[in-house]
């Protein structure tokens, strides 16, 4: 099969297309012929070596396609089923094996490409809005990188829960997208002091929650946006890792909370995975959750997809088509 393989960590050039053996599903696993594979920011952290992994490896951890073979003891899926999954590695390829416990049947009304696009970023937005800080009607919330993959979905979910959404973006074009997704106010955080703007929007009160996936460049300002006892949900570091931090600042700035959540812990059981994926895919089928699918690349152009994502050129979802 054709697959992207990383033999050494580094820049986008380490994403090399190779001919590799098609894997064989073991007990509890299925082999899936991939029709679309999601590109996520975590793929960059793993490619760079910022998150450790064992070399060589096939990157990617989100895809959708058709079951091509099943391993011993598997009876929950069969050959020909349309499935999607995330959180199992090796998806930048024509085929991948995945544990059947992580597979989700793609409902009627959802295309395979939509399913591949919705799983990881959609369930992330879901747990952030519904579980990490369950958004209440009337809450003012700040969402960074509002035109990104997670950002556009999180804005829509926050809005549907009745929040007043403020979103940061780097360009006017991205501001238009964040507004269209439901943000009441957008802030060009590359030019404006976003914390001062949030204070203005809330008459000095601050917000109960900031969803921050940017990290290094936004962390301090995000704390400044919070009202007393507010929570900073730091769920990524697209600008770099947050440097060591003195916890005494949390008390000095108003008995604040910080959490650093990850999707794995919010889909740890089959039950929770099915609830989150079920909600997300149902909303996509109904049309109440809109996916932005403007960036599809052939598998061989995975390096270009990474370059575009890390240079902030993309909006919404990026897909690789094997
Ligand atoms: P995005 O599509 O949101 O792309 C990242 C965005 O970050 C860019 O478009 C850019 O938006 C913004 N950004 C700000 N500073 C930089 C910088 N220096 N370099 C690059 N980008 C920058 O990616 P994803 O939707 O895939 O992921 C968003 C974030 O969510 C990532 O940090 C990812 O790690 C995290 N994540 C965390 C999960 C979890 O469970 N913890 C799960 C899924 C994603 P702009 O140009 O508007 O500034």
């Amino acid at each position: 099969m054709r697959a992207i393989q990383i033999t050494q960590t580094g820049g986008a050039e380490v994403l090399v297309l190779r001919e590799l053996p098609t894997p064989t599903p073991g007990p509890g696993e299925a082999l899936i012929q991939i029709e679309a594979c999601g590109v996520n920011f975590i793929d960059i952290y793993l490619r760079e070596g910022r998150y450790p992994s064992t070399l060589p490896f096939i990157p990617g951890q989100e895809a959708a396609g058709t079951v091509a073979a099943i391993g011993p003891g598997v009876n929950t899926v069969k050959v020909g089923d349309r499935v999607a999954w995330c959180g199992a590695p090796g998806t930048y390829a024509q085929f991948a094996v995945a544990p059947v416990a992580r597979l989700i049947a793609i409902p009627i009304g959802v295309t395979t490409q939509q399913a591949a696009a919705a799983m990881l970023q959609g369930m992330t937005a879901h747990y952030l809005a519904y579980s990490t800080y369950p958004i209440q009607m009337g809450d003012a919330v700040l969402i960074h990188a509002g035109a990104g993959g997670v950002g556009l979905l999180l804005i829509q979910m926050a809005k549907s829960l009745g929040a007043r959404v403020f979103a940061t973006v780097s360009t006017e074009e991205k501001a238009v997208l964040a507004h269209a997704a439901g943000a009441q106010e957008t802030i060009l955080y590359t030019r404006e002091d976003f914390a001062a703007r949030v204070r203005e929007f809330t008459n000095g009160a601050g917000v109960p929650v900031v969803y921050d996936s940017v990290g290094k460049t936004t962390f301090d300002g995000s704390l400044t946006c919070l009202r007393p006892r507010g929570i900073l949900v730091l769920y990524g570091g697209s600008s770099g890792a947050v440097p060591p931090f003195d916890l005494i600042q949390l008390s000095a700035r108003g008995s604040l909370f910080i959490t650093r959540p990850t999707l794995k812990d919010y889909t740890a059981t089959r039950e929770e995975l099915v609830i989150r994926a079920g909600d997300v895919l149902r909303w996509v089928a109904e049309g109440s959750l809109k996916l932005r699918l403007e960036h599809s690349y052939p598998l061989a152009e995975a390096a270009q997809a990474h370059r575009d994502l890390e240079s902030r050129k993309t909006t919404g979802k990026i897909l690789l088509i094997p």
Side-chain angles (χ1 to χ4, degrees), residues 71-95:
V74 168
N75 54 21
T76 50
V77 296
K78 59 182 188 322
V79 171
D81 285 356
R82 280 196 326 139
V83 294
W85 74 102
C86 66
T91 57
Y92 285 17
Q94 290 180 301
F95 291 89

Side-chain angles (χ1 to χ4, degrees), residues 221-295:
S222 294
L223 291 175
T224 307
C225 293
L226 290 170
R227 73 177 187 200
R229 292 161 57 178
I231 182 166
L232 171 55
V233 181
L234 180 72
Y235 70 99
S238 58
S239 69
V242 173
F245 171 76
D246 186 350
L247 291 174
I248 197 68
Q249 287 200 42
L250 296 181
S251 86
R253 294 165 89 155
S255 302
L256 303 178
F257 295 82
I258 298 184
T259 181
R260 179 62 174 85
T262 179
L263 176 62
K264 179 165 68 70
D265 295 317
Y266 284 86
T267 51
T269 63
R270 175 79 190 162
E271 188 187 13
E272 200 171 10
L273 171 70
V274 166
I275 289 171
R276 293 197 199 282
D279 279 351
V280 168
L281 295 178
R282 188 177 66 256
W283 296 335
V284 170
E286 289 168 358
S288 57
L289 184 67
K290 302 266 189 302
L291 301 169
R292 184 172 166 80
L293 296 175
E294 297 293 317
H295 303 276

Side-chain angles (χ1 to χ4, degrees), residues 122-136 139 154 157-158 161 209 211 231 233 259 261-263 265-268 271-273 275-277 279 283:
M123 289 199 292
T124 298
H126 189 285
Y127 85 72
L128 294 171
Y130 286 84
S131 303
T132 309
Y133 173 85
I135 295 174
Q136 305 298 309
D139 276 344
L154 184 53
M157 288 184 205
L161 286 165
V209 62
Y211 294 105
I231 182 166
V233 181
T259 181
T262 179
L263 176 62
D265 295 317
Y266 284 86
T267 51
E271 188 187 13
E272 200 171 10
L273 171 70
I275 289 171
R276 293 197 199 282
D279 279 351
W283 296 335

Side-chain angles (χ1 to χ4, degrees), residues 41 45 121 124 127 149-150 170 174 189 213 235 238 261 263 312:
F41 220 91
Y45 306 144
Q121 293 170 343
T124 298
Y127 85 72
V150 177
S170 63
K174 289 186 176 188
Y189 59 174
S213 63
Y235 70 99
S238 58
L263 176 62
R312 306 166 82 162

Side-chain angles (χ1 to χ4, degrees), residues 39-45 51 120-121 123-125 127-128 144-152 168-171 174 189-190 212-215 217-218 234-240 260-264 266 308-318:
V39 175
N40 294 285
F41 220 91
I42 192 171
D43 304 344
I44 293 175
Y45 306 144
Y51 289 179
L120 197 150
Q121 293 170 343
M123 289 199 292
T124 298
Y127 85 72
L128 294 171
H144 285 302
V150 177
L152 283 173
T168 59
V169 288
S170 63
T171 64
K174 289 186 176 188
Y189 59 174
T190 39
D212 188 342
S213 63
V214 175
T217 58
T218 48
L234 180 72
Y235 70 99
S238 58
S239 69
R260 179 62 174 85
T262 179
L263 176 62
K264 179 165 68 70
Y266 284 86
D308 290 349
L309 178 59
E310 61 196 340
S311 61
R312 306 166 82 162
K313 284 192 186 135
T314 63
T315 52
K317 188 67 195 178
I318 303 175

Side-chain angles (χ1 to χ4, degrees), residues 97-116:
V97 289
V100 292
R102 305 304 297 176
L103 297 180
I104 297 292
I106 302 175
I108 291 165
V110 177
T111 67
T112 313
Q113 292 204 359
Q114 287 175 319

